[in-house]
Amino acid sequence: MTAPHALLDLQATDLLIDRLASRERALEAGGVLAEAREGADAAERALGEIGLERDVLERDASKLEHEIDSLAQKAAAEQHRMSDGSVANARELEAMGREVENLRKRIAGREDELLALMEHREDVERRSASAASFAQELRTKVEHVAGDATTELSQVKTDLAVHRAERATLAASIDAELLELYEDLRSHKKGVGAAALVDGVCQGCHETLSSVDLDRVKRTEGVARCEHCRRILVL
């Protein structure tokens, strides 16, 4: 004879095993870890893109600096020729003066471009430092998630082994035919094959039994079933 509440104990154990098994599958699939790695990889890509932007700015700055230096040398050379007495022709001196003035304007323009570029580069450097910090933070998170997942998976496997052993003991105490019916119902009823009847309410489907059905269940000598969900009822 099966003890009245043995089936409910088995049901509770089975539900616990179901939850643990689901968590085991999730941990083994690595969904949480994959999500953390995806975030870290995205942060690394963003950091790389900022690095490329910074490289372009540095090349542009180098080109401008070289051009400014070249223009300054040319202006200095023209200025020297104008003052060293090697050129006496007034028109040529006037043309050289205009050239020096033009060179100075070009230098000023290039210096303004370089200043704007340097300000942009400072902004990129700040973004790069922030992105590098964020990427490192996410990489550290990946390491922690990986460690936590490994620890949790080990604990879940241990708990599963314990509860499966408990289930075997409980199942052995239940009549074979009742156990077979319970297993069949579990497979079709979202894992719940047996439920308690509390104050006339089936705890499996949460429907209230009519007074007629409740009286019939109480008088049943065999297996009582819920009229609504057909699960096994335990009074």
Side-chain angles (χ1 to χ4, degrees), residues 178-190:
L178 179 59
L179 182 62
E180 183 179 357
L181 174 60
Y182 163 77
E183 296 285 13
D184 181 63
L185 287 169
R186 250 177 60 81
S187 66
H188 295 92
K189 300 289 184 180
K190 299 181 180 180

Side-chain angles (χ1 to χ4, degrees), residues 105-139:
K105 288 180 179 179
R106 291 174 63 188
I107 289 171
R110 295 296 183 273
E111 286 176 340
D112 287 343
E113 290 180 32
L114 181 60
L115 179 61
L117 190 149
M118 295 298 288
E119 290 175 350
H120 187 189
R121 187 169 67 177
E122 288 178 1
D123 177 64
V124 170
E125 290 288 355
R126 286 192 292 270
R127 286 164 49 208
S128 179
S130 177
S133 176
F134 183 57
Q136 181 57 50
E137 178 184 331
L138 292 187
R139 283 299 172 198

Side-chain angles (χ1 to χ4, degrees), residues 17-132:
I17 289 172
D18 289 345
R19 288 194 295 271
L20 288 170
S22 177
R23 185 57 180 165
E24 180 185 40
R25 289 191 296 272
L27 290 168
E28 289 178 338
V32 175
L33 181 57
E35 183 179 350
R37 283 176 174 159
E38 183 178 347
D41 289 343
E44 292 286 357
R45 287 194 297 272
L47 178 60
E49 290 171 2
I50 294 173
L52 292 174
E53 183 180 357
R54 182 181 55 202
D55 291 343
V56 170
L57 290 173
E58 288 178 350
R59 286 196 297 270
D60 290 346
S62 180
K63 287 172 61 178
L64 281 172
E65 289 170 349
H66 179 74
E67 186 176 356
I68 290 169
D69 184 60
S70 177
L71 290 171
Q73 289 183 27
K74 188 174 181 179
E78 290 295 298
Q79 187 68 50
H80 180 70
R81 287 182 61 203
M82 290 174 63
S83 60
D84 67 1
S86 60
V87 178
N89 186 288
R91 288 186 177 181
E92 187 175 351
L93 285 171
E94 185 180 351
M96 291 172 66
R98 288 195 298 270
E99 177 63 14
V100 169
E101 183 64 23
N102 181 55
L103 288 170
R104 287 173 178 168
K105 288 180 179 179
R106 291 174 63 188
I107 289 171
R110 295 296 183 273
E111 286 176 340
D112 287 343
E113 290 180 32
L114 181 60
L115 179 61
L117 190 149
M118 295 298 288
E119 290 175 350
H120 187 189
R121 187 169 67 177
E122 288 178 1
D123 177 64
V124 170
E125 290 288 355
R126 286 192 292 270
R127 286 164 49 208
S128 179
S130 177

Side-chain angles (χ1 to χ4, degrees), residues 122-218:
E122 288 178 1
D123 177 64
V124 170
E125 290 288 355
R126 286 192 292 270
R127 286 164 49 208
S128 179
S130 177
S133 176
F134 183 57
Q136 181 57 50
E137 178 184 331
L138 292 187
R139 283 299 172 198
T140 300
K141 179 181 177 180
V142 168
E143 294 174 3
H144 289 165
V145 169
D148 291 345
T150 299
T151 300
E152 184 182 357
L153 180 58
S154 176
Q155 184 61 55
V156 166
K157 287 183 177 295
T158 298
D159 291 345
L160 271 172
V162 170
H163 293 300
R164 281 170 176 158
E166 291 176 354
R167 185 196 193 280
T169 300
L170 285 168
S173 69
I174 297 171
D175 294 336
E177 290 186 6
L178 179 59
L179 182 62
E180 183 179 357
L181 174 60
Y182 163 77
E183 296 285 13
D184 181 63
L185 287 169
R186 250 177 60 81
S187 66
H188 295 92
K189 300 289 184 180
K190 299 181 180 180
V192 180
L197 181 64
V198 180
D199 296 329
V201 178
C202 170
Q203 299 304 299
C205 63
H206 302 289
E207 292 285 347
T208 301
L209 274 66
S210 68
S211 58
V212 174
D213 288 334
L214 183 59
D215 183 65
R216 177 185 53 77
V217 166
K218 290 180 177 179

Side-chain angles (χ1 to χ4, degrees), residues 214-233:
L214 183 59
D215 183 65
R216 177 185 53 77
V217 166
K218 290 180 177 179
R219 293 174 180 277
T220 299
E221 294 183 2
V223 178
R225 305 280 294 276
C226 174
E227 191 65 26
H228 300 285
C229 67
R230 303 304 297 159
R231 289 182 174 93
I232 299 169
L233 287 177

